[in-house]
Amino acid sequence: MTPQRQKQVLAGLFVLLAVFAVRAFLKVSGSGSSKKPRQASVSRSAPRRGAVDTSGSFQMVDLRLGDLERKPAAFEPGRDPFRFRPKERPKPPPPPPPPPPPERKARANNSAPRQATPAKPRPPEPNFQFLGSFGSDEKRVAVFSDQTEIFNVLEGDVFKEAFVVRKIGYESADIGWVDFPNEPARRLAAGG
């Protein structure tokens, strides 16, 4: 079958289907139906006041506005998702335990004499940032900044009077302290 012939057959079937659909619609809504059509606003009774008779068989009826008013439903929601309860106040912490009686305290102090050990001095925290490095592998230069000054330092040099550069890599530098030579070096990453 050629494409032209297929189109003609399909068009014929469509027309046939449309004819059946129109007939079925007319049969349902036509005079053959056993149900009478509803006439809510049209009356066949005698003319009333204010009604206009256009064809002699139907009349317009007065509209009662009371029928159109909507009565509120007797529905009350149990929970409103848009309303929040006030936050509950946190419970106060329990009171601290009472101090031990003076006798126990004296015994505890006498039983274990404490020896005062001086705190070990700690090296100062680095207050600068390693920005990066440049130069050849033999003579690499590290760049540090403390937000006010920029320091270009070679490996082994001292800067800011307290720090020494122990090793310079491509993305990190190992920093030591002048006053704490036995303290392990701290590695600073570039940009951090």
Side-chain angles (χ1 to χ4, degrees), residues 16-34:
L16 189 63
L17 183 64
V19 168
F20 281 123
V22 169
R23 280 187 138 205
F25 176 73
L26 291 176
K27 188 180 274 187
V28 168
S29 65
S31 60
S33 175
S34 62

Side-chain angles (χ1 to χ4, degrees), residues 124-184:
E125 288 293 318
N127 58 352
F128 50 86
Q129 185 178 18
F130 174 62
L131 300 178
S133 64
F134 63 92
S136 65
D137 288 339
E138 296 84 28
K139 212 171 194 185
R140 198 137 197 80
V141 178
V143 182
F144 299 97
S145 172
D146 64 354
Q147 304 298 325
T148 57
E149 291 183 67
I150 293 180
F151 304 96
N152 294 323
V153 187
L154 292 171
E155 196 170 296
D157 286 351
V158 175
F159 71 101
K160 291 190 77 168
E161 300 176 5
F163 301 98
V164 61
V165 178
R166 294 212 177 136
K167 184 177 179 185
I168 301 173
Y170 290 105
E171 296 179 357
S172 65
D174 293 344
I175 303 299
W177 292 268
V178 174
D179 297 333
F180 300 92
N182 296 332
E183 195 71 31

Side-chain angles (χ1 to χ4, degrees), residues 17-164:
L17 183 64
V19 168
F20 281 123
V22 169
R23 280 187 138 205
F25 176 73
L26 291 176
K27 188 180 274 187
V28 168
S29 65
S31 60
S33 175
S34 62
K35 295 182 180 177
K36 293 184 181 179
R38 284 179 52 176
Q39 296 178 359
S41 63
V42 179
S43 173
R44 295 180 188 261
S45 63
R48 295 172 76 171
R49 189 175 70 152
V52 178
D53 188 6
T54 57
S55 66
S57 61
F58 292 101
Q59 295 178 351
M60 298 292 283
V61 204
D62 289 335
L63 179 64
R64 289 179 276 170
L65 294 177
D67 292 344
L68 297 177
E69 288 183 19
R70 190 171 197 187
K71 294 178 177 72
F75 174 73
E76 291 186 27
R79 177 178 166 262
D80 186 3
F82 300 104
R83 200 171 271 189
F84 300 101
R85 286 189 275 172
K87 291 184 178 179
E88 294 179 9
R89 294 182 186 164
K91 295 179 181 177
E103 297 171 5
R104 290 184 184 174
K105 191 174 186 181
R107 287 183 203 157
N109 287 341
N110 292 335
S111 63
R114 293 186 181 176
Q115 295 178 356
T117 56
K120 183 180 175 186
R122 299 189 58 176
E125 288 293 318
N127 58 352
F128 50 86
Q129 185 178 18
F130 174 62
L131 300 178
S133 64
F134 63 92
S136 65
D137 288 339
E138 296 84 28
K139 212 171 194 185
R140 198 137 197 80
V141 178
V143 182
F144 299 97
S145 172
D146 64 354
Q147 304 298 325
T148 57
E149 291 183 67
I150 293 180
F151 304 96
N152 294 323
V153 187
L154 292 171
E155 196 170 296
D157 286 351
V158 175
F159 71 101
K160 291 190 77 168
E161 300 176 5
F163 301 98
V164 61

